[in-house]
Amino acid sequence: MGLSLSDLLKRMLEMNGSDLHITTNSPPQIRVHGHMKPLDLPPLGPSDTKALAYSVLTDAQKKSRRQRSIAIALALGVLVVLFFAVTLVKGPAVLVRPM
């Protein structure tokens, strides 16, 4: 795909979005004023969604996620001044929203 999670979060902010949805077999989507807006990108494959999700996890979180069916909540800082809440649920989806 070529875009990083940081790139997608920047696009979300530029669009005044509240949530970034990353799901397998769908392009990334941004919730803007309650409506989902797909980005003009190709659908993400399983390896794309996994790479985006794992790009913000520690090795311990990756190991824990592989061993159990769990959700992981964490805070992600971007550009030092922006923070995002990230929820990773075992399966093909990731939800990111500003804090």
Side-chain angles (χ1 to χ4, degrees), residues 12-33:
M12 179 181 76
L13 293 175
E14 291 167 358
M15 295 173 64
N16 294 314
S18 62
D19 302 278
L20 169 63
H21 291 252
I22 301 169
T23 306
T24 301
N25 299 321
S26 174
Q29 296 185 58
I30 296 174
R31 184 182 311 275
V32 180
H33 304 296

Side-chain angles (χ1 to χ4, degrees), residues 14-91:
E14 291 167 358
M15 295 173 64
N16 294 314
S18 62
D19 302 278
L20 169 63
H21 291 252
I22 301 169
T23 306
T24 301
N25 299 321
S26 174
Q29 296 185 58
I30 296 174
R31 184 182 311 275
V32 180
H33 304 296
H35 301 282
M36 297 303 295
K37 308 270 184 186
L39 296 179
D40 188 22
L41 295 170
L44 299 172
S47 61
D48 298 318
T49 56
K50 183 176 180 179
L52 287 167
Y54 276 37
S55 72
V56 296
L57 296 181
T58 65
D59 288 339
Q61 289 169 322
K62 291 174 192 174
K63 182 179 178 185
S64 178
R65 187 164 160 74
R66 283 191 300 267
Q67 291 175 346
R68 297 180 266 145
S69 178
I70 60 168
I72 298 173
L74 56 109
L76 172 64
V78 177
L79 302 175
V80 183
V81 295
L82 302 174
F83 290 91
F84 298 90
V86 179
T87 303
L88 304 176
V89 180
K90 191 158 188 170

